[in-house]
Amino acid sequence: MNNSFHPPQLIDARALRLDQALQLLQQAGALLPEGQPYGEDWLQGVIDALCDLSSKDALTGLVNRRSFEMALAREIDRVARSGEPALLLMLDIDHFKAVNDTHGHAAGDVVIQSVAKAIDQTVRPMDTAARVGGEEFAIILPNCPSSFGRTVAERVRERVEGMDITLPSGQKLKITISLGGAFAPQWVRSSMLLWMERADRQLYRAKAEGRNRACLEPHTDSQVSAEEKGMLFAVSQQDTE
């Protein structure tokens, strides 16, 4: 058996077909890297710019759903290891279909962008704000005590409610959002789906109760669900084998 080491084969960077990638970055308004084209720093800059572009929502600049799910998985792991509280907020724009039907999709895009900007300006730098669907958004808040959860949810809601959005027609529009939130169970390795389902359940409750409100799952009730107990028991068994 031949176990001799074969060093990786080096290629000429100029043989890479990067025209389409560079065109994509230019169309997105991304800054092209400085330095000697096809040099090491230049290539790294192109790769970094493409990674950044692939992680962002094109309309709002917030994190996209793929990156949101990756961040949520990392936060679940962190909470299970550290026991620090973390809050997931799910929110969407109230009566958004009526905005599109009445004012057109260009106006709907402006509304989505305005809500995204309000969210981004309200959360902490350590938080992750994402657009996860058409008019749906999510916020991951690490190290968020239960006493602070409703405060931050209300802060986002009030900021959006207080906006005057100028539509392409010049008309001013007021909109509201509904929010639902749930805390990750501390010291337990939950699942992304379970955490999102909990927050979604509270979002549906906010809508059912009249919209333009925030409903959060009581922190004491969100410690461990039946499914999570099963996951925890399975992990415990593996540790003892």
CSV table of all heavy atoms in Angstrom, one decimal, residues 91-100 102-103 107-119 135-137 156-167 171-179 210-213:
chain,number,residue,atom,x,y,z
A,91,LEU,N,-41.2,37.8,13.7
A,91,LEU,CA,-42.2,38.9,13.5
A,91,LEU,C,-42.5,39.0,12.1
A,91,LEU,O,-41.8,38.6,11.2
A,91,LEU,CB,-41.6,40.2,14.1
A,91,LEU,CG,-40.3,40.7,13.4
A,91,LEU,CD1,-40.6,41.9,12.4
A,91,LEU,CD2,-39.3,41.2,14.5
A,92,ASP,N,-43.7,39.6,11.8
A,92,ASP,CA,-44.1,39.9,10.4
A,92,ASP,C,-44.9,41.2,10.4
A,92,ASP,O,-45.4,41.7,11.4
A,92,ASP,CB,-44.7,38.7,9.7
A,92,ASP,CG,-46.1,38.3,10.2
A,92,ASP,OD1,-46.7,39.1,10.9
A,92,ASP,OD2,-46.5,37.3,9.8
A,93,ILE,N,-45.0,41.7,9.2
A,93,ILE,CA,-45.7,43.0,9.0
A,93,ILE,C,-47.2,42.7,8.9
A,93,ILE,O,-47.7,41.9,8.1
A,93,ILE,CB,-45.2,43.6,7.7
A,93,ILE,CG1,-43.7,43.8,7.7
A,93,ILE,CG2,-45.9,44.9,7.4
A,93,ILE,CD1,-43.1,44.3,6.4
A,94,ASP,N,-48.0,43.5,9.7
A,94,ASP,CA,-49.4,43.3,9.7
A,94,ASP,C,-50.1,43.8,8.4
A,94,ASP,O,-49.7,44.8,7.9
A,94,ASP,CB,-50.0,44.1,10.9
A,94,ASP,CG,-49.6,43.6,12.2
A,94,ASP,OD1,-49.3,42.4,12.3
A,94,ASP,OD2,-49.5,44.4,13.2
A,95,HIS,N,-51.0,42.9,7.9
A,95,HIS,CA,-51.8,43.3,6.7
A,95,HIS,C,-50.9,43.7,5.5
A,95,HIS,O,-51.2,44.6,4.7
A,95,HIS,CB,-52.7,44.4,7.0
A,95,HIS,CG,-53.6,44.2,8.2
A,95,HIS,ND1,-54.6,43.1,8.2
A,95,HIS,CD2,-53.7,44.8,9.4
A,95,HIS,CE1,-55.2,43.1,9.4
A,95,HIS,NE2,-54.7,44.1,10.1
A,96,PHE,N,-49.8,42.9,5.3
A,96,PHE,CA,-48.8,43.3,4.3
A,96,PHE,C,-49.5,43.1,2.9
A,96,PHE,O,-49.2,43.8,1.9
A,96,PHE,CB,-47.6,42.5,4.4
A,96,PHE,CG,-46.5,42.8,3.4
A,96,PHE,CD1,-45.8,44.0,3.4
A,96,PHE,CD2,-46.2,42.0,2.3
A,96,PHE,CE1,-44.9,44.4,2.5
A,96,PHE,CE2,-45.3,42.3,1.4
A,96,PHE,CZ,-44.6,43.5,1.4
A,97,LYS,N,-50.3,42.0,2.7
A,97,LYS,CA,-50.9,41.8,1.4
A,97,LYS,C,-51.7,43.0,1.0
A,97,LYS,O,-51.8,43.3,-0.2
A,97,LYS,CB,-51.8,40.5,1.5
A,97,LYS,CG,-52.4,40.1,0.2
A,97,LYS,CD,-53.2,38.9,0.3
A,97,LYS,CE,-53.8,38.4,-1.0
A,97,LYS,NZ,-54.7,39.4,-1.6
A,98,ALA,N,-52.4,43.7,1.9
A,98,ALA,CA,-53.2,44.8,1.6
A,98,ALA,C,-52.3,46.0,1.1
A,98,ALA,O,-52.7,46.7,0.2
A,98,ALA,CB,-54.0,45.3,2.8
A,99,VAL,N,-51.1,46.0,1.6
A,99,VAL,CA,-50.1,47.1,1.1
A,99,VAL,C,-49.8,46.8,-0.4
A,99,VAL,O,-49.8,47.7,-1.2
A,99,VAL,CB,-48.8,47.1,1.9
A,99,VAL,CG1,-47.8,48.0,1.3
A,99,VAL,CG2,-49.1,47.5,3.4
A,100,ASN,N,-49.5,45.6,-0.7
A,100,ASN,CA,-49.2,45.2,-2.1
A,100,ASN,C,-50.4,45.4,-3.0
A,100,ASN,O,-50.2,45.9,-4.1
A,100,ASN,CB,-48.7,43.8,-2.2
A,100,ASN,CG,-47.2,43.6,-1.8
A,100,ASN,OD1,-46.4,44.5,-1.9
A,100,ASN,ND2,-46.8,42.4,-1.4
A,102,THR,N,-52.9,47.4,-2.6
A,102,THR,CA,-53.4,48.8,-2.7
A,102,THR,C,-52.4,49.6,-3.4
A,102,THR,O,-52.7,50.5,-4.2
A,102,THR,CB,-53.7,49.3,-1.3
A,102,THR,OG1,-54.7,48.5,-0.7
A,102,THR,CG2,-54.3,50.7,-1.4
A,103,HIS,N,-51.1,49.5,-3.0
A,103,HIS,CA,-50.1,50.4,-3.5
A,103,HIS,C,-49.1,49.8,-4.5
A,103,HIS,O,-48.3,50.5,-5.0
A,103,HIS,CB,-49.3,50.9,-2.2
A,103,HIS,CG,-50.2,51.6,-1.2
A,103,HIS,ND1,-50.7,52.8,-1.4
A,103,HIS,CD2,-50.6,51.1,0.0
A,103,HIS,CE1,-51.4,53.2,-0.3
A,103,HIS,NE2,-51.4,52.1,0.5
A,107,ALA,N,-44.1,49.5,-3.6
A,107,ALA,CA,-44.4,50.1,-2.3
A,107,ALA,C,-44.1,49.0,-1.2
A,107,ALA,O,-43.6,49.3,-0.1
A,107,ALA,CB,-45.8,50.6,-2.2
A,108,GLY,N,-44.5,47.8,-1.5
A,108,GLY,CA,-44.3,46.7,-0.6
A,108,GLY,C,-42.8,46.6,-0.3
A,108,GLY,O,-42.4,46.3,0.9
A,109,ASP,N,-42.0,46.7,-1.3
A,109,ASP,CA,-40.5,46.6,-1.1
A,109,ASP,C,-40.0,47.7,-0.2
A,109,ASP,O,-39.1,47.5,0.7
A,109,ASP,CB,-39.8,46.6,-2.4
A,109,ASP,CG,-39.9,45.3,-3.2
A,109,ASP,OD1,-40.4,44.3,-2.7
A,109,ASP,OD2,-39.5,45.4,-4.4
A,110,VAL,N,-40.5,48.9,-0.4
A,110,VAL,CA,-40.1,50.0,0.5
A,110,VAL,C,-40.5,49.8,1.9
A,110,VAL,O,-39.7,50.1,2.9
A,110,VAL,CB,-40.7,51.3,0.0
A,110,VAL,CG1,-40.5,52.5,1.0
A,110,VAL,CG2,-40.2,51.7,-1.4
A,111,VAL,N,-41.7,49.2,2.1
A,111,VAL,CA,-42.2,48.9,3.5
A,111,VAL,C,-41.2,47.9,4.1
A,111,VAL,O,-40.8,48.0,5.3
A,111,VAL,CB,-43.6,48.4,3.5
A,111,VAL,CG1,-44.0,47.8,4.8
A,111,VAL,CG2,-44.6,49.5,3.1
A,112,ILE,N,-40.9,46.8,3.4
A,112,ILE,CA,-40.0,45.8,3.9
A,112,ILE,C,-38.7,46.4,4.3
A,112,ILE,O,-38.1,46.1,5.3
A,112,ILE,CB,-39.9,44.6,2.9
A,112,ILE,CG1,-41.1,43.8,2.8
A,112,ILE,CG2,-38.7,43.7,3.2
A,112,ILE,CD1,-41.2,42.8,1.7
A,113,GLN,N,-38.1,47.2,3.4
A,113,GLN,CA,-36.8,47.8,3.7
A,113,GLN,C,-36.9,48.7,4.9
A,113,GLN,O,-35.9,48.8,5.7
A,113,GLN,CB,-36.4,48.6,2.4
A,113,GLN,CG,-36.0,47.8,1.3
A,113,GLN,CD,-35.7,48.6,0.0
A,113,GLN,OE1,-36.4,49.6,-0.2
A,113,GLN,NE2,-34.8,48.2,-0.8
A,114,SER,N,-38.0,49.4,5.1
A,114,SER,CA,-38.1,50.3,6.2
A,114,SER,C,-38.2,49.6,7.5
A,114,SER,O,-37.6,50.0,8.5
A,114,SER,CB,-39.4,51.2,6.0
A,114,SER,OG,-39.3,52.0,4.9
A,115,VAL,N,-38.9,48.5,7.5
A,115,VAL,CA,-39.0,47.6,8.7
A,115,VAL,C,-37.7,47.0,9.0
A,115,VAL,O,-37.2,47.0,10.2
A,115,VAL,CB,-40.1,46.5,8.5
A,115,VAL,CG1,-40.0,45.5,9.7
A,115,VAL,CG2,-41.5,47.1,8.4
A,116,ALA,N,-36.9,46.6,8.0
A,116,ALA,CA,-35.6,46.0,8.2
A,116,ALA,C,-34.7,47.0,8.8
A,116,ALA,O,-33.9,46.7,9.8
A,116,ALA,CB,-35.0,45.5,6.9
A,117,LYS,N,-34.8,48.3,8.3
A,117,LYS,CA,-33.9,49.3,8.9
A,117,LYS,C,-34.2,49.6,10.3
A,117,LYS,O,-33.3,49.8,11.2
A,117,LYS,CB,-34.1,50.6,8.0
A,117,LYS,CG,-33.2,51.7,8.5
A,117,LYS,CD,-33.3,52.9,7.5
A,117,LYS,CE,-32.4,54.1,8.0
A,117,LYS,NZ,-32.6,55.3,7.1
A,118,ALA,N,-35.5,49.6,10.7
A,118,ALA,CA,-35.9,49.9,12.0
A,118,ALA,C,-35.4,48.8,13.0
A,118,ALA,O,-35.0,49.0,14.1
A,118,ALA,CB,-37.5,50.0,12.1
A,119,ILE,N,-35.5,47.5,12.5
A,119,ILE,CA,-35.0,46.4,13.3
A,119,ILE,C,-33.5,46.6,13.5
A,119,ILE,O,-33.0,46.4,14.7
A,119,ILE,CB,-35.3,45.1,12.6
A,119,ILE,CG1,-36.8,44.8,12.6
A,119,ILE,CG2,-34.6,43.9,13.4
A,119,ILE,CD1,-37.2,43.6,11.7
A,135,GLU,N,-42.5,38.9,4.1
A,135,GLU,CA,-42.6,40.0,5.1
A,135,GLU,C,-42.3,39.5,6.5
A,135,GLU,O,-42.6,40.1,7.5
A,135,GLU,CB,-44.0,40.6,5.0
A,135,GLU,CG,-45.1,39.7,5.6
A,135,GLU,CD,-45.7,38.7,4.7
A,135,GLU,OE1,-45.0,38.4,3.7
A,135,GLU,OE2,-46.8,38.3,4.9
A,136,GLU,N,-41.5,38.4,6.6
A,136,GLU,CA,-41.2,37.8,7.9
A,136,GLU,C,-39.8,38.0,8.2
A,136,GLU,O,-38.9,37.9,7.4
A,136,GLU,CB,-41.5,36.3,7.8
A,136,GLU,CG,-42.9,35.9,7.5
A,136,GLU,CD,-43.1,34.5,7.2
A,136,GLU,OE1,-42.1,33.8,7.0
A,136,GLU,OE2,-44.3,34.0,7.1
A,137,PHE,N,-39.6,38.3,9.5
A,137,PHE,CA,-38.2,38.6,10.0
A,137,PHE,C,-38.0,37.8,11.3
A,137,PHE,O,-39.0,37.3,11.9
A,137,PHE,CB,-38.1,40.1,10.4
A,137,PHE,CG,-38.3,41.0,9.2
A,137,PHE,CD1,-39.5,41.4,8.8
A,137,PHE,CD2,-37.2,41.5,8.5
A,137,PHE,CE1,-39.7,42.3,7.7
A,137,PHE,CE2,-37.3,42.3,7.4
A,137,PHE,CZ,-38.6,42.7,7.0
A,156,VAL,N,-38.9,47.3,19.5
A,156,VAL,CA,-38.9,47.1,18.0
A,156,VAL,C,-40.3,47.4,17.5
A,156,VAL,O,-40.5,48.1,16.5
A,156,VAL,CB,-38.6,45.6,17.7
A,156,VAL,CG1,-38.8,45.4,16.2
A,156,VAL,CG2,-37.1,45.3,18.1
A,157,ARG,N,-41.3,46.9,18.2
A,157,ARG,CA,-42.7,47.2,17.8
A,157,ARG,C,-43.0,48.7,17.7
A,157,ARG,O,-43.6,49.2,16.8
A,157,ARG,CB,-43.7,46.5,18.7
A,157,ARG,CG,-45.1,46.5,18.3
A,157,ARG,CD,-46.1,46.1,19.4
A,157,ARG,NE,-46.1,47.0,20.5
A,157,ARG,CZ,-46.7,48.2,20.6
A,157,ARG,NH1,-47.3,48.6,19.5
A,157,ARG,NH2,-46.6,48.9,21.6
A,158,GLU,N,-42.6,49.4,18.8
A,158,GLU,CA,-42.9,50.8,18.9
A,158,GLU,C,-42.2,51.6,17.8
A,158,GLU,O,-42.7,52.6,17.3
A,158,GLU,CB,-42.6,51.4,20.3
A,158,GLU,CG,-43.6,50.8,21.3
A,158,GLU,CD,-43.1,51.2,22.7
A,158,GLU,OE1,-42.1,51.8,22.9
A,158,GLU,OE2,-43.8,50.8,23.7
A,159,ARG,N,-41.0,51.2,17.5
A,159,ARG,CA,-40.2,51.9,16.5
A,159,ARG,C,-40.8,51.8,15.2
A,159,ARG,O,-40.9,52.8,14.4
A,159,ARG,CB,-38.7,51.4,16.5
A,159,ARG,CG,-37.9,52.2,15.5
A,159,ARG,CD,-36.4,52.0,15.8
A,159,ARG,NE,-35.6,53.0,15.2
A,159,ARG,CZ,-34.5,53.5,15.7
A,159,ARG,NH1,-34.1,53.1,16.9
A,159,ARG,NH2,-33.8,54.4,15.1
A,160,VAL,N,-41.3,50.6,14.8
A,160,VAL,CA,-42.0,50.4,13.5
A,160,VAL,C,-43.3,51.2,13.5
A,160,VAL,O,-43.6,51.9,12.5
A,160,VAL,CB,-42.2,49.0,13.3
A,160,VAL,CG1,-43.1,48.8,12.0
A,160,VAL,CG2,-40.9,48.2,13.1
A,161,GLU,N,-44.1,51.2,14.6
A,161,GLU,CA,-45.3,51.8,14.6
A,161,GLU,C,-45.2,53.4,14.5
A,161,GLU,O,-46.0,54.0,13.9
A,161,GLU,CB,-46.0,51.5,16.0
A,161,GLU,CG,-47.4,52.1,16.1
A,161,GLU,CD,-48.1,51.8,17.4
A,161,GLU,OE1,-47.3,51.6,18.4
A,161,GLU,OE2,-49.3,51.7,17.5
A,162,GLY,N,-44.1,53.9,15.0
A,162,GLY,CA,-43.8,55.3,14.9
A,162,GLY,C,-43.3,55.9,13.6
A,162,GLY,O,-43.1,57.1,13.4
A,163,MET,N,-43.0,55.0,12.6
A,163,MET,CA,-42.4,55.4,11.4
A,163,MET,C,-43.5,56.0,10.4
A,163,MET,O,-44.6,55.6,10.4
A,163,MET,CB,-41.8,54.2,10.7
A,163,MET,CG,-40.6,53.7,11.3
A,163,MET,SD,-39.7,52.5,10.2
A,163,MET,CE,-41.0,51.3,9.8
A,164,ASP,N,-43.1,57.0,9.7
A,164,ASP,CA,-43.8,57.5,8.5
A,164,ASP,C,-43.1,57.0,7.3
A,164,ASP,O,-42.0,57.5,7.0
A,164,ASP,CB,-44.0,59.0,8.5
A,164,ASP,CG,-45.0,59.5,9.6
A,164,ASP,OD1,-46.1,58.9,9.6
A,164,ASP,OD2,-44.6,60.4,10.3
A,165,ILE,N,-43.6,56.1,6.6
A,165,ILE,CA,-42.9,55.5,5.4
A,165,ILE,C,-43.4,56.2,4.1
A,165,ILE,O,-44.6,56.3,3.9
A,165,ILE,CB,-43.2,54.0,5.3
A,165,ILE,CG1,-42.8,53.2,6.6
A,165,ILE,CG2,-42.5,53.4,4.1
A,165,ILE,CD1,-43.2,51.8,6.6
A,166,THR,N,-42.4,56.7,3.4
A,166,THR,CA,-42.7,57.4,2.2
A,166,THR,C,-42.7,56.4,1.0
A,166,THR,O,-41.6,55.9,0.7
A,166,THR,CB,-41.7,58.6,1.9
A,166,THR,OG1,-41.7,59.5,3.0
A,166,THR,CG2,-42.1,59.3,0.7
A,167,LEU,N,-43.8,56.2,0.4
A,167,LEU,CA,-43.9,55.3,-0.8
A,167,LEU,C,-43.4,56.0,-2.0
A,167,LEU,O,-43.2,57.2,-2.1
A,167,LEU,CB,-45.3,54.9,-0.9
A,167,LEU,CG,-46.0,54.2,0.3
A,167,LEU,CD1,-47.4,53.8,-0.1
A,167,LEU,CD2,-45.2,53.0,0.8
A,171,GLN,N,-46.8,59.2,-1.2
A,171,GLN,CA,-47.8,59.0,-0.1
A,171,GLN,C,-47.1,58.5,1.1
A,171,GLN,O,-46.1,57.7,1.1
A,171,GLN,CB,-48.8,58.0,-0.6
A,171,GLN,CG,-50.0,57.8,0.5
A,171,GLN,CD,-51.0,56.8,-0.1
A,171,GLN,OE1,-51.0,56.4,-1.2
A,171,GLN,NE2,-51.9,56.4,0.8
A,172,LYS,N,-47.6,58.9,2.3
A,172,LYS,CA,-47.1,58.5,3.6
A,172,LYS,C,-47.9,57.3,4.1
A,172,LYS,O,-49.1,57.3,3.9
A,172,LYS,CB,-47.1,59.6,4.6
A,172,LYS,CG,-46.3,60.8,4.3
A,172,LYS,CD,-44.8,60.6,4.5
A,172,LYS,CE,-44.0,61.9,4.3
A,172,LYS,NZ,-42.6,61.7,4.4
A,173,LEU,N,-47.2,56.3,4.7
A,173,LEU,CA,-47.9,55.1,5.1
A,173,LEU,C,-47.5,54.8,6.5
A,173,LEU,O,-46.3,54.8,6.9
A,173,LEU,CB,-47.7,54.0,4.2
A,173,LEU,CG,-48.5,52.7,4.4
A,173,LEU,CD1,-50.0,52.9,4.2
A,173,LEU,CD2,-47.9,51.6,3.5
A,174,LYS,N,-48.4,54.4,7.4
A,174,LYS,CA,-48.2,53.8,8.7
A,174,LYS,C,-48.4,52.3,8.7
A,174,LYS,O,-49.4,51.9,8.1
A,174,LYS,CB,-49.1,54.5,9.7
A,174,LYS,CG,-48.8,55.9,10.1
A,174,LYS,CD,-47.7,56.0,11.1
A,174,LYS,CE,-47.6,57.4,11.7
A,174,LYS,NZ,-46.5,57.6,12.6
A,175,ILE,N,-47.5,51.6,9.3
A,175,ILE,CA,-47.7,50.2,9.4
A,175,ILE,C,-47.4,49.7,10.8
A,175,ILE,O,-46.8,50.4,11.6
A,175,ILE,CB,-46.8,49.4,8.4
A,175,ILE,CG1,-45.4,49.8,8.6
A,175,ILE,CG2,-47.2,49.7,7.0
A,175,ILE,CD1,-44.5,48.6,8.6
A,176,THR,N,-47.8,48.4,11.1
A,176,THR,CA,-47.5,47.8,12.4
A,176,THR,C,-46.9,46.4,12.2
A,176,THR,O,-47.0,45.9,11.1
A,176,THR,CB,-48.7,47.8,13.3
A,176,THR,OG1,-49.7,47.0,12.7
A,176,THR,CG2,-49.2,49.2,13.6
A,177,ILE,N,-46.4,45.9,13.2
A,177,ILE,CA,-45.9,44.5,13.2
A,177,ILE,C,-46.4,43.7,14.4
A,177,ILE,O,-46.8,44.3,15.4
A,177,ILE,CB,-44.3,44.4,13.1
A,177,ILE,CG1,-43.7,45.1,14.4
A,177,ILE,CG2,-43.8,45.0,11.9
A,177,ILE,CD1,-42.2,45.0,14.5
A,178,SER,N,-46.4,42.4,14.2
A,178,SER,CA,-46.7,41.5,15.3
A,178,SER,C,-45.5,40.7,15.6
A,178,SER,O,-44.7,40.3,14.7
A,178,SER,CB,-47.9,40.6,15.0
A,178,SER,OG,-49.0,41.4,14.8
A,179,LEU,N,-45.2,40.4,16.9
A,179,LEU,CA,-44.0,39.6,17.3
A,179,LEU,C,-44.4,38.5,18.2
A,179,LEU,O,-45.3,38.6,19.0
A,179,LEU,CB,-43.0,40.5,18.0
A,179,LEU,CG,-42.5,41.8,17.3
A,179,LEU,CD1,-43.4,43.0,17.7
A,179,LEU,CD2,-41.1,42.1,17.7
A,210,GLY,N,-55.2,40.4,18.0
A,210,GLY,CA,-55.4,41.8,17.4
A,210,GLY,C,-54.3,42.4,16.7
A,210,GLY,O,-54.4,43.5,16.2
A,211,ARG,N,-53.1,41.8,16.6
A,211,ARG,CA,-52.0,42.3,15.9
A,211,ARG,C,-51.4,43.5,16.6
A,211,ARG,O,-51.9,44.0,17.6
A,211,ARG,CB,-52.3,42.6,14.4
A,211,ARG,CG,-52.6,41.4,13.6
A,211,ARG,CD,-52.8,41.7,12.1
A,211,ARG,NE,-52.9,40.6,11.3
A,211,ARG,CZ,-54.0,39.9,11.0
A,211,ARG,NH1,-55.2,40.3,11.6
A,211,ARG,NH2,-54.0,38.8,10.3
A,212,ASN,N,-50.3,44.0,16.1
A,212,ASN,CA,-49.6,45.2,16.6
A,212,ASN,C,-49.3,45.0,18.1
A,212,ASN,O,-49.6,45.8,19.0
A,212,ASN,CB,-50.3,46.5,16.4
A,212,ASN,CG,-49.5,47.7,16.8
A,212,ASN,OD1,-48.3,47.7,16.8
A,212,ASN,ND2,-50.2,48.8,17.2
A,213,ARG,N,-48.8,43.8,18.4
A,213,ARG,CA,-48.4,43.5,19.8
A,213,ARG,C,-47.4,42.4,19.8
A,213,ARG,O,-47.1,41.7,18.8
A,213,ARG,CB,-49.7,43.0,20.6
A,213,ARG,CG,-50.2,41.7,20.1
A,213,ARG,CD,-51.6,41.4,20.7
A,213,ARG,NE,-52.5,42.4,20.3
A,213,ARG,CZ,-53.5,42.9,21.1
A,213,ARG,NH1,-53.6,42.5,22.4
A,213,ARG,NH2,-54.3,43.9,20.7
